Amino acid sequence: AMEQQTISIAKAGITTVLNCRTSVLAAANPVFGRYDDLKDVNENINLMTTILSRFDCIFIVRDVRDVNRDLEIARNVMNVHMGASVPKEDRSKTSPHEIPVEKLKRFINFCRARCTPRLNKEAAATLSSHYVHIRNQVRITLAETPGSSMRYFHTTFIDNTRRAIPITIRQLEAIVRLSESLAKMRLSNEATVTDVNEALRLFNISTLSASQVRPHQVGLGVVSSEATKNAEEFLLRRMGLQVSIGVKKIIDEACAQGYKKVNISSGIAKLIQSGVIKEYKGGKIIKRIK
């Protein structure tokens, strides 16, 4: 019903189909308390792919330990609390670049009532060719992987296991809706190639990024459990209890002994998740605590 914008009702002898045009905004906390980059999005939030595929965009919000980012968040929270003590008449004043809430609401209502944009021929051709091109790339990849299914548009293979959000025609329709929404924001009755490109960018950084098991290790190759286990054993041998060492230094040492960088990075991430290693100074220093 979400993507079809209709809902079927069969109650008390009445069978009908009603329009159900609304936006669904959902949030989910990871089942492990913290998002685990070593697991896919399905395992982290415990939702089936059939449910996830019905959302146009899926954004993963991670609690990244970064000093500058933490300072910005802290300043924002303090400004909110400090602003609560400011008189109401002063808080109502807006900056020249800030749009008042009531004016924004009227603009959104006007867009909904007056604009019904549709893709033009150039935009439709661009979107179609992009979709077909990527599907063809995946077809070639899956043809080289025994036991794979053509149903998956973007796939990550870990230990010969397919873990991905299935991307089908449903997601193509989602990109169309994003393109038309961007055109509606411009009060245009026609969605152009520019709108399609922006919709594709949003889709790539949201749903496609969320379907990757290790977004920070994309392009580094496939990580096997055996190689990761060997990397963990090396790290535990190299680091005694309460020993601290720079991440770059230990990766360089491991590479000099024949280990792959991606396997060492995966081993460090797994040991951090299990609480054996703790990171300091924004992840530049690690220390074994167990």
Side-chain angles (χ1 to χ4, degrees), residues 227-257:
T228 302
K229 185 177 180 181
N230 293 337
E232 290 180 39
E233 293 175 353
F234 165 79
L235 292 168
L236 295 177
R237 289 196 306 269
R238 175 61 180 81
M239 299 177 62
L241 195 61
Q242 302 300 322
V243 171
S244 300
I245 190 172
V247 173
K248 185 178 183 301
K249 180 180 179 181
I250 197 168
I251 289 178
D252 291 341
E253 291 182 7
C255 292
Q257 296 187 30

mmCIF file of all heavy atoms in Angstrom, residues 227-257:
data_model
loop_
_atom_site.group_PDB
_atom_site.id
_atom_site.type_symbol
_atom_site.label_atom_id
_atom_site.label_comp_id
_atom_site.label_asym_id
_atom_site.label_seq_id
_atom_site.Cartn_x
_atom_site.Cartn_y
_atom_site.Cartn_z
ATOM 1 N N ALA A 227 39.950 -15.066 7.124
ATOM 2 C CA ALA A 227 40.989 -14.034 7.102
ATOM 3 C C ALA A 227 40.814 -13.060 8.260
ATOM 4 O O ALA A 227 41.797 -12.620 8.868
ATOM 5 C CB ALA A 227 40.943 -13.289 5.769
ATOM 6 N N THR A 228 39.558 -12.732 8.583
ATOM 7 C CA THR A 228 39.305 -11.836 9.711
ATOM 8 C C THR A 228 39.714 -12.486 11.021
ATOM 9 O O THR A 228 40.286 -11.842 11.907
ATOM 10 C CB THR A 228 37.816 -11.455 9.760
ATOM 11 O OG1 THR A 228 37.444 -10.831 8.528
ATOM 12 C CG2 THR A 228 37.534 -10.512 10.907
ATOM 13 N N LYS A 229 39.442 -13.780 11.157
ATOM 14 C CA LYS A 229 39.825 -14.503 12.372
ATOM 15 C C LYS A 229 41.335 -14.528 12.534
ATOM 16 O O LYS A 229 41.867 -14.330 13.636
ATOM 17 C CB LYS A 229 39.265 -15.924 12.321
ATOM 18 C CG LYS A 229 39.514 -16.729 13.597
ATOM 19 C CD LYS A 229 38.875 -18.100 13.503
ATOM 20 C CE LYS A 229 39.123 -18.906 14.769
ATOM 21 N NZ LYS A 229 38.509 -20.261 14.681
ATOM 22 N N ASN A 230 42.061 -14.751 11.433
ATOM 23 C CA ASN A 230 43.527 -14.734 11.490
ATOM 24 C C ASN A 230 44.032 -13.352 11.877
ATOM 25 O O ASN A 230 45.012 -13.217 12.621
ATOM 26 C CB ASN A 230 44.105 -15.151 10.138
ATOM 27 C CG ASN A 230 43.822 -16.604 9.811
ATOM 28 O OD1 ASN A 230 43.589 -17.424 10.705
ATOM 29 N ND2 ASN A 230 43.815 -16.942 8.533
ATOM 30 N N ALA A 231 43.375 -12.325 11.366
ATOM 31 C CA ALA A 231 43.763 -10.959 11.709
ATOM 32 C C ALA A 231 43.531 -10.682 13.191
ATOM 33 O O ALA A 231 44.348 -10.031 13.850
ATOM 34 C CB ALA A 231 42.981 -9.966 10.855
ATOM 35 N N GLU A 232 42.420 -11.177 13.730
ATOM 36 C CA GLU A 232 42.144 -11.000 15.159
ATOM 37 C C GLU A 232 43.213 -11.689 16.002
ATOM 38 O O GLU A 232 43.673 -11.128 17.019
ATOM 39 C CB GLU A 232 40.765 -11.566 15.490
ATOM 40 C CG GLU A 232 39.611 -10.769 14.920
ATOM 41 C CD GLU A 232 38.285 -11.388 15.284
ATOM 42 O OE1 GLU A 232 38.134 -11.878 16.420
ATOM 43 O OE2 GLU A 232 37.389 -11.413 14.427
ATOM 44 N N GLU A 233 43.595 -12.889 15.605
ATOM 45 C CA GLU A 233 44.634 -13.607 16.351
ATOM 46 C C GLU A 233 45.949 -12.844 16.325
ATOM 47 O O GLU A 233 46.663 -12.769 17.329
ATOM 48 C CB GLU A 233 44.808 -15.009 15.768
ATOM 49 C CG GLU A 233 43.598 -15.906 15.973
ATOM 50 C CD GLU A 233 43.744 -17.246 15.279
ATOM 51 O OE1 GLU A 233 44.748 -17.414 14.531
ATOM 52 O OE2 GLU A 233 42.868 -18.112 15.461
ATOM 53 N N PHE A 234 46.279 -12.241 15.180
ATOM 54 C CA PHE A 234 47.499 -11.443 15.092
ATOM 55 C C PHE A 234 47.427 -10.241 16.031
ATOM 56 O O PHE A 234 48.390 -9.922 16.742
ATOM 57 C CB PHE A 234 47.708 -10.965 13.655
ATOM 58 C CG PHE A 234 48.722 -9.857 13.532
ATOM 59 C CD1 PHE A 234 50.092 -10.128 13.556
ATOM 60 C CD2 PHE A 234 48.307 -8.531 13.411
ATOM 61 C CE1 PHE A 234 51.018 -9.110 13.455
ATOM 62 C CE2 PHE A 234 49.229 -7.507 13.317
ATOM 63 C CZ PHE A 234 50.598 -7.793 13.338
ATOM 64 N N LEU A 235 46.279 -9.573 16.042
ATOM 65 C CA LEU A 235 46.119 -8.398 16.888
ATOM 66 C C LEU A 235 46.244 -8.754 18.365
ATOM 67 O O LEU A 235 46.884 -8.029 19.145
ATOM 68 C CB LEU A 235 44.759 -7.748 16.627
ATOM 69 C CG LEU A 235 44.575 -7.105 15.243
ATOM 70 C CD1 LEU A 235 43.113 -6.755 15.002
ATOM 71 C CD2 LEU A 235 45.442 -5.863 15.117
ATOM 72 N N LEU A 236 45.659 -9.873 18.780
ATOM 73 C CA LEU A 236 45.731 -10.292 20.175
ATOM 74 C C LEU A 236 47.152 -10.706 20.561
ATOM 75 O O LEU A 236 47.578 -10.494 21.699
ATOM 76 C CB LEU A 236 44.750 -11.448 20.422
ATOM 77 C CG LEU A 236 43.259 -11.096 20.255
ATOM 78 C CD1 LEU A 236 42.401 -12.333 20.444
ATOM 79 C CD2 LEU A 236 42.850 -10.011 21.261
ATOM 80 N N ARG A 237 47.881 -11.313 19.622
ATOM 81 C CA ARG A 237 49.281 -11.660 19.899
ATOM 82 C C ARG A 237 50.143 -10.399 19.992
ATOM 83 O O ARG A 237 51.034 -10.312 20.841
ATOM 84 C CB ARG A 237 49.831 -12.572 18.792
ATOM 85 C CG ARG A 237 49.281 -13.982 18.792
ATOM 86 C CD ARG A 237 50.161 -14.897 17.932
ATOM 87 N NE ARG A 237 50.341 -14.361 16.581
ATOM 88 C CZ ARG A 237 49.564 -14.645 15.556
ATOM 89 N NH1 ARG A 237 48.525 -15.466 15.726
ATOM 90 N NH2 ARG A 237 49.808 -14.128 14.362
ATOM 91 N N ARG A 238 49.862 -9.449 19.130
ATOM 92 C CA ARG A 238 50.680 -8.234 19.087
ATOM 93 C C ARG A 238 50.404 -7.316 20.256
ATOM 94 O O ARG A 238 51.312 -6.641 20.764
ATOM 95 C CB ARG A 238 50.398 -7.494 17.765
ATOM 96 C CG ARG A 238 51.079 -6.141 17.616
ATOM 97 C CD ARG A 238 52.581 -6.267 17.661
ATOM 98 N NE ARG A 238 53.215 -4.974 17.516
ATOM 99 C CZ ARG A 238 53.380 -4.094 18.508
ATOM 100 N NH1 ARG A 238 52.936 -4.373 19.727
ATOM 101 N NH2 ARG A 238 53.992 -2.937 18.282
ATOM 102 N N MET A 239 49.167 -7.297 20.709
ATOM 103 C CA MET A 239 48.789 -6.370 21.783
ATOM 104 C C MET A 239 48.551 -7.129 23.077
ATOM 105 O O MET A 239 47.620 -7.930 23.191
ATOM 106 C CB MET A 239 47.511 -5.610 21.393
ATOM 107 C CG MET A 239 47.635 -4.765 20.144
ATOM 108 S SD MET A 239 46.072 -3.973 19.700
ATOM 109 C CE MET A 239 45.821 -2.935 21.154
ATOM 110 N N GLY A 240 49.406 -6.894 24.038
ATOM 111 C CA GLY A 240 49.191 -7.469 25.356
ATOM 112 C C GLY A 240 48.114 -6.703 26.105
ATOM 113 O O GLY A 240 47.634 -5.650 25.651
ATOM 114 N N LEU A 241 47.748 -7.195 27.249
ATOM 115 C CA LEU A 241 46.712 -6.547 28.050
ATOM 116 C C LEU A 241 47.163 -5.152 28.459
ATOM 117 O O LEU A 241 48.302 -4.965 28.899
ATOM 118 C CB LEU A 241 46.402 -7.399 29.284
ATOM 119 C CG LEU A 241 45.114 -7.051 30.040
ATOM 120 C CD1 LEU A 241 43.904 -7.232 29.136
ATOM 121 C CD2 LEU A 241 44.984 -7.900 31.290
ATOM 122 N N GLN A 242 46.298 -4.165 28.292
ATOM 123 C CA GLN A 242 46.535 -2.757 28.623
ATOM 124 C C GLN A 242 47.588 -2.101 27.732
ATOM 125 O O GLN A 242 48.134 -1.040 28.072
ATOM 126 C CB GLN A 242 46.939 -2.607 30.102
ATOM 127 C CG GLN A 242 45.935 -3.140 31.101
ATOM 128 C CD GLN A 242 44.582 -2.454 30.995
ATOM 129 O OE1 GLN A 242 44.509 -1.254 30.754
ATOM 130 N NE2 GLN A 242 43.517 -3.220 31.171
ATOM 131 N N VAL A 243 47.878 -2.715 26.602
ATOM 132 C CA VAL A 243 48.853 -2.143 25.668
ATOM 133 C C VAL A 243 48.122 -1.255 24.665
ATOM 134 O O VAL A 243 47.095 -1.642 24.103
ATOM 135 C CB VAL A 243 49.621 -3.257 24.923
ATOM 136 C CG1 VAL A 243 50.473 -2.669 23.790
ATOM 137 C CG2 VAL A 243 50.503 -4.012 25.893
ATOM 138 N N SER A 244 48.672 -0.058 24.436
ATOM 139 C CA SER A 244 48.107 0.882 23.462
ATOM 140 C C SER A 244 49.036 0.987 22.266
ATOM 141 O O SER A 244 50.264 0.896 22.413
ATOM 142 C CB SER A 244 47.923 2.269 24.095
ATOM 143 O OG SER A 244 47.047 2.214 25.200
ATOM 144 N N ILE A 245 48.442 1.222 21.093
ATOM 145 C CA ILE A 245 49.235 1.321 19.876
ATOM 146 C C ILE A 245 48.440 2.100 18.831
ATOM 147 O O ILE A 245 47.201 2.113 18.856
ATOM 148 C CB ILE A 245 49.615 -0.079 19.333
ATOM 149 C CG1 ILE A 245 50.634 0.033 18.205
ATOM 150 C CG2 ILE A 245 48.373 -0.824 18.868
ATOM 151 C CD1 ILE A 245 51.194 -1.304 17.754
ATOM 152 N N GLY A 246 49.152 2.766 17.950
ATOM 153 C CA GLY A 246 48.497 3.505 16.879
ATOM 154 C C GLY A 246 47.920 2.558 15.835
ATOM 155 O O GLY A 246 48.533 1.541 15.500
ATOM 156 N N VAL A 247 46.752 2.890 15.325
ATOM 157 C CA VAL A 247 46.098 2.035 14.325
ATOM 158 C C VAL A 247 46.943 1.939 13.060
ATOM 159 O O VAL A 247 47.128 0.853 12.505
ATOM 160 C CB VAL A 247 44.694 2.582 14.004
ATOM 161 C CG1 VAL A 247 44.069 1.811 12.847
ATOM 162 C CG2 VAL A 247 43.792 2.493 15.223
ATOM 163 N N LYS A 248 47.485 3.062 12.621
ATOM 164 C CA LYS A 248 48.296 3.054 11.406
ATOM 165 C C LYS A 248 49.545 2.188 11.580
ATOM 166 O O LYS A 248 49.934 1.438 10.668
ATOM 167 C CB LYS A 248 48.697 4.483 11.041
ATOM 168 C CG LYS A 248 49.449 4.601 9.715
ATOM 169 C CD LYS A 248 49.777 6.042 9.404
ATOM 170 C CE LYS A 248 50.464 6.155 8.035
ATOM 171 N NZ LYS A 248 51.711 5.372 7.973
ATOM 172 N N LYS A 249 50.143 2.260 12.763
ATOM 173 C CA LYS A 249 51.366 1.493 13.017
ATOM 174 C C LYS A 249 51.106 -0.002 12.977
ATOM 175 O O LYS A 249 51.847 -0.760 12.341
ATOM 176 C CB LYS A 249 51.952 1.887 14.367
ATOM 177 C CG LYS A 249 53.234 1.141 14.719
ATOM 178 C CD LYS A 249 53.781 1.574 16.063
ATOM 179 C CE LYS A 249 55.052 0.787 16.406
ATOM 180 N NZ LYS A 249 55.593 1.185 17.730
ATOM 181 N N ILE A 250 50.022 -0.440 13.634
ATOM 182 C CA ILE A 250 49.765 -1.880 13.691
ATOM 183 C C ILE A 250 49.300 -2.404 12.329
ATOM 184 O O ILE A 250 49.583 -3.548 11.972
ATOM 185 C CB ILE A 250 48.735 -2.206 14.801
ATOM 186 C CG1 ILE A 250 48.806 -3.702 15.139
ATOM 187 C CG2 ILE A 250 47.329 -1.806 14.399
ATOM 188 C CD1 ILE A 250 48.059 -4.069 16.389
ATOM 189 N N ILE A 251 48.611 -1.561 11.553
ATOM 190 C CA ILE A 251 48.221 -1.986 10.206
ATOM 191 C C ILE A 251 49.456 -2.142 9.324
ATOM 192 O O ILE A 251 49.571 -3.103 8.557
ATOM 193 C CB ILE A 251 47.229 -0.980 9.599
ATOM 194 C CG1 ILE A 251 45.867 -1.086 10.297
ATOM 195 C CG2 ILE A 251 47.056 -1.223 8.103
ATOM 196 C CD1 ILE A 251 44.835 -0.102 9.798
ATOM 197 N N ASP A 252 50.399 -1.202 9.451
ATOM 198 C CA ASP A 252 51.634 -1.300 8.667
ATOM 199 C C ASP A 252 52.425 -2.555 9.048
ATOM 200 O O ASP A 252 52.972 -3.246 8.180
ATOM 201 C CB ASP A 252 52.490 -0.053 8.889
ATOM 202 C CG ASP A 252 51.870 1.194 8.263
ATOM 203 O OD1 ASP A 252 51.002 1.027 7.379
ATOM 204 O OD2 ASP A 252 52.242 2.310 8.676
ATOM 205 N N GLU A 253 52.482 -2.860 10.343
ATOM 206 C CA GLU A 253 53.177 -4.067 10.791
ATOM 207 C C GLU A 253 52.515 -5.320 10.234
ATOM 208 O O GLU A 253 53.200 -6.259 9.790
ATOM 209 C CB GLU A 253 53.208 -4.119 12.320
ATOM 210 C CG GLU A 253 54.097 -3.077 12.973
ATOM 211 C CD GLU A 253 54.117 -3.216 14.481
ATOM 212 O OE1 GLU A 253 53.537 -4.210 14.997
ATOM 213 O OE2 GLU A 253 54.695 -2.344 15.156
ATOM 214 N N ALA A 254 51.186 -5.339 10.256
ATOM 215 C CA ALA A 254 50.458 -6.507 9.755
ATOM 216 C C ALA A 254 50.665 -6.680 8.253
ATOM 217 O O ALA A 254 50.875 -7.798 7.770
ATOM 218 C CB ALA A 254 48.973 -6.367 10.080
ATOM 219 N N CYS A 255 50.623 -5.582 7.522
ATOM 220 C CA CYS A 255 50.830 -5.662 6.072
ATOM 221 C C CYS A 255 52.239 -6.152 5.749
ATOM 222 O O CYS A 255 52.442 -6.885 4.777
ATOM 223 C CB CYS A 255 50.581 -4.294 5.435
ATOM 224 S SG CYS A 255 48.850 -3.759 5.488
ATOM 225 N N ALA A 256 53.218 -5.757 6.579
ATOM 226 C CA ALA A 256 54.592 -6.209 6.361
ATOM 227 C C ALA A 256 54.723 -7.714 6.572
ATOM 228 O O ALA A 256 55.624 -8.354 6.004
ATOM 229 C CB ALA A 256 55.530 -5.458 7.300
ATOM 230 N N GLN A 257 53.814 -8.298 7.379
ATOM 231 C CA GLN A 257 53.849 -9.731 7.635
ATOM 232 C C GLN A 257 52.916 -10.512 6.708
ATOM 233 O O GLN A 257 52.717 -11.710 6.907
ATOM 234 C CB GLN A 257 53.472 -10.004 9.094
ATOM 235 C CG GLN A 257 54.470 -9.424 10.096
ATOM 236 C CD GLN A 257 54.168 -9.858 11.515
ATOM 237 O OE1 GLN A 257 53.626 -10.942 11.748
ATOM 238 N NE2 GLN A 257 54.524 -9.021 12.483
#
